[in-house]
Amino acid sequence: MPELPEVEITKRSLSKQILRKKVSSVTIINPELRYNINKEKLTLLKGKIIKKIIRRSKYILIFFNDTNVLLIHLGMTGRFYYTKTNGRKFNTSFYNNTNIINKHDHLKIKFGKFSLIYNDVRKFGFIKRIQKKNVVTSNHLSRLGCEPLSNKFCFNYLKSKILNKKSSIKNLLMNQSIVAGLGNIYVNETLYFCKIHPEKKGYKIVDKDIRKLISVIKKILKNAIIAGGSTIKNYHNSEGKKGSYQKNFHVYDREGKKCLRISCKGKIRRIKRSGRSIFYCSKCQT
DNA sequence: CGGGACTCCTGAGGGC
DNA sequence: TGCCCTCAGGAGTCCC
């Protein structure tokens, strides 16, 4: 699921469902993830109450009523869902009506009448228990750049980060120490709307285009969050709902199709760079 | 050090 | 049906 909008939607769902709830048990179903789940550390969360849930870049941080914090990254296929733990039905459609362990489930956190399950097909995500005082200095969070939806993400900031860079603007925008939270889809879409070729070097981006990048990134991310994120291959958020921003894709996964700019007769191209796809209009992105 | 390529893992889908 | 290949929303690591 996971670029900034999808992680934000996941975080909002978690806030709605588990904030102020007390952990009644923790079960490790399959510890194998990017970093194996530490059973001893996680089971210590039993009895703790969730006080705060925040998102930083593509990470989710769950703060408990002591010094414990869960640091979560969804990788490529990580997702949460809920399941009821007694016979009664919930009056929402958020919950699976079963107690069955599904394939690729890794962790189950029970909150009295329902449980939160972490499921991750490709195991690129992780869940770590860390201490509150180590949040800022954690290897994962300490090197992150600006939140693109914050006021700090502005012309001067982005200009300073790409000024002398020989990397492509596509790679620079994907770099989490420059913009924290963008991924392949939203970078491809951003560059399309800015009419910038993805392989244009950072130092060649003119001021006008840097301003444009700032405003387009903010706009796309806001719209994607409003749309509930993007849903690809039937992934869905933890409340079982699908995002709809994929309907707005202008270049991503549109190889061979016509450019959607009325004045442009170009076709969308796909090229591969270090194993990842770049989609762009070969005519209007220069 | 900067920058690019490779790697972890599983499943879906296309071609033959 | 099945085999083989490619591809997938991320990011840490390795190498030049």
Side-chain angles (χ1 to χ4, degrees):
Chain A
M1 281 210 356
E3 292 183 49
L4 187 153
E6 294 75 30
V7 179
E8 176 64 23
I9 294 297
T10 302
K11 176 231 137 185
R12 290 182 188 183
S13 166
L14 289 172
S15 299
K16 198 164 137 190
Q17 301 298 327
I18 65 172
L19 200 57
R20 292 181 288 278
K21 297 277 193 298
K22 188 178 186 177
V23 175
S24 42
S25 69
V26 178
T27 309
I28 283 78
I29 299 161
N30 176 3
E32 290 177 26
L33 286 172
R34 173 179 278 279
Y35 312 112
N36 282 5
I37 298 173
N38 185 314
K39 188 178 176 180
E40 286 68 39
K41 284 187 177 180
L42 278 224
T43 48
L44 285 175
L45 296 174
K46 185 177 174 179
K48 315 289 185 204
I49 295 163
I50 292 172
K51 281 292 183 192
K52 187 170 74 172
I53 305 176
I54 64 168
R55 177 193 60 73
R56 170 75 171 112
S57 185
K58 299 171 196 170
Y59 296 88
I60 293 170
L61 289 143
I62 300 180
F63 293 80
F64 290 83
N65 62 334
D66 57 2
T67 59
N68 284 305
V69 178
L70 272 187
L71 175 62
I72 299 162
H73 194 287
L74 303 173
M76 291 278 245
T77 51
R79 64 190 181 97
F80 287 104
Y81 68 92
Y82 306 93
T83 176
K84 64 174 186 167
T85 52
N86 64 16
R88 272 184 289 165
K89 281 192 176 181
F90 283 81
N91 59 358
T92 72
S93 60
F94 304 166
Y95 302 88
N96 259 0
N97 284 325
T98 107
N99 264 328
I100 294 169
I101 291 172
N102 289 301
K103 204 172 180 185
H104 310 303
D105 284 352
H106 291 271
L107 177 71
K108 180 175 184 171
I109 302 177
K110 192 174 167 185
F111 296 93
K113 294 174 182 173
F114 71 96
S115 295
L116 174 70
I117 316 282
Y118 179 72
N119 181 286
D120 192 340
V121 174
R122 292 178 70 185
K123 303 179 182 153
F124 290 165
F126 67 82
I127 298 184
K128 262 185 188 177
R129 189 199 70 147
I130 61 172
Q131 291 300 305
K132 199 173 176 178
K133 64 179 166 61
N134 297 330
V135 165
V136 180
T137 55
S138 117
N139 286 338
H140 298 100
L141 303 179
S142 63
R143 296 183 206 113
L144 289 174
C146 256
E147 280 294 319
L149 291 175
S150 75
N151 290 334
K152 282 186 183 174
F153 186 64
C154 61
F155 171 79
N156 288 337
Y157 174 81
L158 187 58
K159 177 152 185 169
S160 74
K161 292 289 184 183
I162 68 175
L163 193 57
N164 301 310
K165 293 294 195 298
K166 290 171 193 162
S167 279
S168 67
I169 187 64
K170 201 266 185 177
N171 281 350
L172 292 167
L173 295 179
M174 294 271 291
N175 184 335
Q176 301 301 297
S177 70
I178 297 178
V179 194
L182 289 184
N184 205 32
I185 288 180
Y186 296 104
V187 167
N188 275 287
E189 293 296 307
T190 293
L191 292 170
Y192 171 79
F193 285 111
C194 293
K195 297 188 181 178
I196 299 171
H197 194 290
E199 298 205 284
K200 193 164 183 174
K201 311 274 188 205
Y203 68 86
K204 287 188 177 173
I205 306 293
V206 298
D207 286 1
K208 181 175 71 79
D209 284 343
I210 295 176
R211 292 184 201 286
K212 179 92 174 157
L213 281 166
I214 298 284
S215 70
V216 166
I217 287 168
K218 287 177 190 284
K219 194 174 166 187
I220 286 180
L221 292 177
K222 280 180 193 167
N223 287 341
I225 291 170
I226 290 168
S230 302
T231 297
I232 296 179
K233 295 183 181 175
N234 290 324
Y235 290 127
H236 49 72
N237 71 33
S238 42
E239 300 185 354
K241 294 175 191 164
K242 290 182 180 182
S244 65
Y245 193 76
Q246 68 280 3
K247 292 172 189 165
N248 295 320
F249 289 170
H250 281 62
V251 282
Y252 185 81
D253 206 21
R254 293 195 67 245
E255 185 184 11
K257 294 184 178 164
K258 283 181 192 166
C259 175
L260 293 174
R261 281 197 175 88
I262 297 165
S263 56
C264 177
K265 299 257 164 65
K267 271 191 178 177
I268 306 307
R269 274 202 196 151
R270 178 167 75 104
I271 53 173
K272 291 211 77 179
R273 290 294 177 268
S274 51
R276 309 205 65 181
S277 287
I278 302 178
F279 297 91
Y280 68 103
C281 172
S282 53
K283 200 166 173 201
C284 63
Q285 287 179 255
T286 56

PDB file of all heavy atoms in Angstrom, chain A residues 19 49-54 61-70 132 135:
ATOM      1  N   LEU A  19      -6.887   3.850  19.339  1.00  0.00           N
ATOM      2  CA  LEU A  19      -6.454   4.895  20.261  1.00  0.00           C
ATOM      3  C   LEU A  19      -7.192   4.741  21.593  1.00  0.00           C
ATOM      4  O   LEU A  19      -8.392   4.492  21.617  1.00  0.00           O
ATOM      5  CB  LEU A  19      -6.753   6.272  19.643  1.00  0.00           C
ATOM      6  CG  LEU A  19      -5.982   7.463  20.189  1.00  0.00           C
ATOM      7  CD1 LEU A  19      -4.476   7.249  20.056  1.00  0.00           C
ATOM      8  CD2 LEU A  19      -6.381   8.729  19.440  1.00  0.00           C
ATOM      9  N   ILE A  49      -1.672   0.962  27.378  1.00  0.00           N
ATOM     10  CA  ILE A  49      -2.747   1.679  26.691  1.00  0.00           C
ATOM     11  C   ILE A  49      -2.151   2.584  25.611  1.00  0.00           C
ATOM     12  O   ILE A  49      -1.122   3.228  25.831  1.00  0.00           O
ATOM     13  CB  ILE A  49      -3.559   2.520  27.695  1.00  0.00           C
ATOM     14  CG1 ILE A  49      -4.273   1.582  28.688  1.00  0.00           C
ATOM     15  CG2 ILE A  49      -4.578   3.411  26.978  1.00  0.00           C
ATOM     16  CD1 ILE A  49      -4.745   2.275  29.938  1.00  0.00           C
ATOM     17  N   ILE A  50      -2.793   2.615  24.449  1.00  0.00           N
ATOM     18  CA  ILE A  50      -2.283   3.430  23.341  1.00  0.00           C
ATOM     19  C   ILE A  50      -2.669   4.889  23.522  1.00  0.00           C
ATOM     20  O   ILE A  50      -3.850   5.228  23.640  1.00  0.00           O
ATOM     21  CB  ILE A  50      -2.784   2.863  21.995  1.00  0.00           C
ATOM     22  CG1 ILE A  50      -2.104   1.505  21.761  1.00  0.00           C
ATOM     23  CG2 ILE A  50      -2.491   3.836  20.851  1.00  0.00           C
ATOM     24  CD1 ILE A  50      -2.627   0.746  20.592  1.00  0.00           C
ATOM     25  N   LYS A  51      -1.652   5.727  23.566  1.00  0.00           N
ATOM     26  CA  LYS A  51      -1.862   7.146  23.874  1.00  0.00           C
ATOM     27  C   LYS A  51      -1.853   8.046  22.651  1.00  0.00           C
ATOM     28  O   LYS A  51      -2.501   9.078  22.616  1.00  0.00           O
ATOM     29  CB  LYS A  51      -0.760   7.631  24.836  1.00  0.00           C
ATOM     30  CG  LYS A  51      -1.005   7.234  26.278  1.00  0.00           C
ATOM     31  CD  LYS A  51      -2.224   7.985  26.824  1.00  0.00           C
ATOM     32  CE  LYS A  51      -2.449   7.647  28.296  1.00  0.00           C
ATOM     33  NZ  LYS A  51      -3.746   8.108  28.771  1.00  0.00           N
ATOM     34  N   LYS A  52      -1.038   7.689  21.669  1.00  0.00           N
ATOM     35  CA  LYS A  52      -0.869   8.588  20.526  1.00  0.00           C
ATOM     36  C   LYS A  52      -0.409   7.780  19.318  1.00  0.00           C
ATOM     37  O   LYS A  52       0.375   6.847  19.469  1.00  0.00           O
ATOM     38  CB  LYS A  52       0.188   9.641  20.889  1.00  0.00           C
ATOM     39  CG  LYS A  52       0.372  10.748  19.870  1.00  0.00           C
ATOM     40  CD  LYS A  52       1.246  11.889  20.406  1.00  0.00           C
ATOM     41  CE  LYS A  52       2.699  11.503  20.473  1.00  0.00           C
ATOM     42  NZ  LYS A  52       3.594  12.629  20.810  1.00  0.00           N
ATOM     43  N   ILE A  53      -0.882   8.134  18.126  1.00  0.00           N
ATOM     44  CA  ILE A  53      -0.422   7.485  16.896  1.00  0.00           C
ATOM     45  C   ILE A  53      -0.071   8.577  15.894  1.00  0.00           C
ATOM     46  O   ILE A  53      -0.895   9.451  15.616  1.00  0.00           O
ATOM     47  CB  ILE A  53      -1.502   6.556  16.293  1.00  0.00           C
ATOM     48  CG1 ILE A  53      -1.965   5.535  17.350  1.00  0.00           C
ATOM     49  CG2 ILE A  53      -0.975   5.830  15.058  1.00  0.00           C
ATOM     50  CD1 ILE A  53      -3.100   4.641  16.887  1.00  0.00           C
ATOM     51  N   ILE A  54       1.148   8.540  15.393  1.00  0.00           N
ATOM     52  CA  ILE A  54       1.537   9.538  14.403  1.00  0.00           C
ATOM     53  C   ILE A  54       2.173   8.870  13.178  1.00  0.00           C
ATOM     54  O   ILE A  54       2.574   7.702  13.238  1.00  0.00           O
ATOM     55  CB  ILE A  54       2.534  10.583  14.970  1.00  0.00           C
ATOM     56  CG1 ILE A  54       3.853   9.915  15.371  1.00  0.00           C
ATOM     57  CG2 ILE A  54       1.944  11.350  16.145  1.00  0.00           C
ATOM     58  CD1 ILE A  54       4.969  10.911  15.656  1.00  0.00           C
ATOM     59  N   LEU A  61       4.124   5.513  14.054  1.00  0.00           N
ATOM     60  CA  LEU A  61       4.620   5.398  15.428  1.00  0.00           C
ATOM     61  C   LEU A  61       3.436   5.313  16.379  1.00  0.00           C
ATOM     62  O   LEU A  61       2.562   6.192  16.365  1.00  0.00           O
ATOM     63  CB  LEU A  61       5.482   6.608  15.773  1.00  0.00           C
ATOM     64  CG  LEU A  61       6.835   6.628  15.056  1.00  0.00           C
ATOM     65  CD1 LEU A  61       7.228   8.037  14.674  1.00  0.00           C
ATOM     66  CD2 LEU A  61       7.900   5.991  15.934  1.00  0.00           C
ATOM     67  N   ILE A  62       3.407   4.248  17.155  1.00  0.00           N
ATOM     68  CA  ILE A  62       2.344   4.079  18.143  1.00  0.00           C
ATOM     69  C   ILE A  62       2.942   4.249  19.536  1.00  0.00           C
ATOM     70  O   ILE A  62       3.823   3.480  19.936  1.00  0.00           O
ATOM     71  CB  ILE A  62       1.682   2.693  18.010  1.00  0.00           C
ATOM     72  CG1 ILE A  62       1.076   2.543  16.604  1.00  0.00           C
ATOM     73  CG2 ILE A  62       0.618   2.493  19.092  1.00  0.00           C
ATOM     74  CD1 ILE A  62       0.395   1.196  16.362  1.00  0.00           C
ATOM     75  N   PHE A  63       2.505   5.280  20.247  1.00  0.00           N
ATOM     76  CA  PHE A  63       3.020   5.580  21.596  1.00  0.00           C
ATOM     77  C   PHE A  63       2.094   4.979  22.642  1.00  0.00           C
ATOM     78  O   PHE A  63       0.878   5.124  22.551  1.00  0.00           O
ATOM     79  CB  PHE A  63       3.115   7.094  21.814  1.00  0.00           C
ATOM     80  CG  PHE A  63       4.154   7.762  20.956  1.00  0.00           C
ATOM     81  CD1 PHE A  63       3.891   8.069  19.621  1.00  0.00           C
ATOM     82  CD2 PHE A  63       5.398   8.084  21.483  1.00  0.00           C
ATOM     83  CE1 PHE A  63       4.849   8.694  18.829  1.00  0.00           C
ATOM     84  CE2 PHE A  63       6.362   8.715  20.697  1.00  0.00           C
ATOM     85  CZ  PHE A  63       6.089   9.012  19.361  1.00  0.00           C
ATOM     86  N   PHE A  64       2.687   4.333  23.655  1.00  0.00           N
ATOM     87  CA  PHE A  64       1.908   3.743  24.750  1.00  0.00           C
ATOM     88  C   PHE A  64       1.997   4.629  25.998  1.00  0.00           C
ATOM     89  O   PHE A  64       2.742   5.615  26.012  1.00  0.00           O
ATOM     90  CB  PHE A  64       2.411   2.323  25.029  1.00  0.00           C
ATOM     91  CG  PHE A  64       2.073   1.366  23.915  1.00  0.00           C
ATOM     92  CD1 PHE A  64       2.884   1.286  22.780  1.00  0.00           C
ATOM     93  CD2 PHE A  64       0.936   0.574  23.977  1.00  0.00           C
ATOM     94  CE1 PHE A  64       2.565   0.431  21.731  1.00  0.00           C
ATOM     95  CE2 PHE A  64       0.613  -0.289  22.933  1.00  0.00           C
ATOM     96  CZ  PHE A  64       1.429  -0.364  21.802  1.00  0.00           C
ATOM     97  N   ASN A  65       1.246   4.247  27.026  1.00  0.00           N
ATOM     98  CA  ASN A  65       1.190   5.073  28.244  1.00  0.00           C
ATOM     99  C   ASN A  65       2.397   4.842  29.157  1.00  0.00           C
ATOM    100  O   ASN A  65       2.303   5.001  30.360  1.00  0.00           O
ATOM    101  CB  ASN A  65      -0.107   4.794  29.013  1.00  0.00           C
ATOM    102  CG  ASN A  65      -0.207   3.348  29.470  1.00  0.00           C
ATOM    103  OD1 ASN A  65       0.389   2.456  28.864  1.00  0.00           O
ATOM    104  ND2 ASN A  65      -0.947   3.104  30.534  1.00  0.00           N
ATOM    105  N   ASP A  66       3.508   4.432  28.574  1.00  0.00           N
ATOM    106  CA  ASP A  66       4.771   4.377  29.306  1.00  0.00           C
ATOM    107  C   ASP A  66       5.846   4.799  28.305  1.00  0.00           C
ATOM    108  O   ASP A  66       5.596   5.656  27.474  1.00  0.00           O
ATOM    109  CB  ASP A  66       5.023   2.970  29.892  1.00  0.00           C
ATOM    110  CG  ASP A  66       5.022   1.895  28.812  1.00  0.00           C
ATOM    111  OD1 ASP A  66       4.870   2.235  27.620  1.00  0.00           O
ATOM    112  OD2 ASP A  66       5.187   0.711  29.146  1.00  0.00           O
ATOM    113  N   THR A  67       7.020   4.223  28.334  1.00  0.00           N
ATOM    114  CA  THR A  67       8.082   4.662  27.419  1.00  0.00           C
ATOM    115  C   THR A  67       8.114   3.848  26.129  1.00  0.00           C
ATOM    116  O   THR A  67       8.979   4.064  25.278  1.00  0.00           O
ATOM    117  CB  THR A  67       9.454   4.541  28.102  1.00  0.00           C
ATOM    118  OG1 THR A  67       9.651   3.182  28.485  1.00  0.00           O
ATOM    119  CG2 THR A  67       9.524   5.435  29.324  1.00  0.00           C
ATOM    120  N   ASN A  68       7.185   2.917  25.977  1.00  0.00           N
ATOM    121  CA  ASN A  68       7.191   2.064  24.789  1.00  0.00           C
ATOM    122  C   ASN A  68       6.603   2.750  23.559  1.00  0.00           C
ATOM    123  O   ASN A  68       5.600   3.456  23.643  1.00  0.00           O
ATOM    124  CB  ASN A  68       6.388   0.786  25.055  1.00  0.00           C
ATOM    125  CG  ASN A  68       7.160  -0.192  25.911  1.00  0.00           C
ATOM    126  OD1 ASN A  68       8.281  -0.562  25.580  1.00  0.00           O
ATOM    127  ND2 ASN A  68       6.574  -0.593  27.041  1.00  0.00           N
ATOM    128  N   VAL A  69       7.248   2.487  22.418  1.00  0.00           N
ATOM    129  CA  VAL A  69       6.759   2.991  21.137  1.00  0.00           C
ATOM    130  C   VAL A  69       6.898   1.863  20.120  1.00  0.00           C
ATOM    131  O   VAL A  69       7.914   1.167  20.095  1.00  0.00           O
ATOM    132  CB  VAL A  69       7.593   4.204  20.652  1.00  0.00           C
ATOM    133  CG1 VAL A  69       7.096   4.689  19.298  1.00  0.00           C
ATOM    134  CG2 VAL A  69       7.573   5.329  21.671  1.00  0.00           C
ATOM    135  N   LEU A  70       5.868   1.673  19.303  1.00  0.00           N
ATOM    136  CA  LEU A  70       5.985   0.721  18.191  1.00  0.00           C
ATOM    137  C   LEU A  70       6.326   1.506  16.941  1.00  0.00           C
ATOM    138  O   LEU A  70       5.624   2.455  16.577  1.00  0.00           O
ATOM    139  CB  LEU A  70       4.672  -0.032  17.967  1.00  0.00           C
ATOM    140  CG  LEU A  70       4.432  -1.316  18.765  1.00  0.00           C
ATOM    141  CD1 LEU A  70       3.161  -1.991  18.258  1.00  0.00           C
ATOM    142  CD2 LEU A  70       5.607  -2.278  18.688  1.00  0.00           C
ATOM    143  N   LYS A 132      10.775   5.609  23.774  1.00  0.00           N
ATOM    144  CA  LYS A 132      10.384   6.977  23.413  1.00  0.00           C
ATOM    145  C   LYS A 132      11.603   7.883  23.233  1.00  0.00           C
ATOM    146  O   LYS A 132      11.673   8.664  22.281  1.00  0.00           O
ATOM    147  CB  LYS A 132       9.489   7.519  24.528  1.00  0.00           C
ATOM    148  CG  LYS A 132       8.647   8.701  24.133  1.00  0.00           C
ATOM    149  CD  LYS A 132       7.693   9.032  25.271  1.00  0.00           C
ATOM    150  CE  LYS A 132       6.876  10.269  24.976  1.00  0.00           C
ATOM    151  NZ  LYS A 132       5.925  10.555  26.081  1.00  0.00           N
ATOM    152  N   VAL A 135      13.332   7.673  19.763  1.00  0.00           N
ATOM    153  CA  VAL A 135      12.570   7.876  18.528  1.00  0.00           C
ATOM    154  C   VAL A 135      13.323   8.801  17.565  1.00  0.00           C
ATOM    155  O   VAL A 135      13.552   8.471  16.410  1.00  0.00           O
ATOM    156  CB  VAL A 135      11.165   8.455  18.825  1.00  0.00           C
ATOM    157  CG1 VAL A 135      10.524   9.005  17.561  1.00  0.00           C
ATOM    158  CG2 VAL A 135      10.276   7.373  19.429  1.00  0.00           C
TER     159      VAL A 135
END
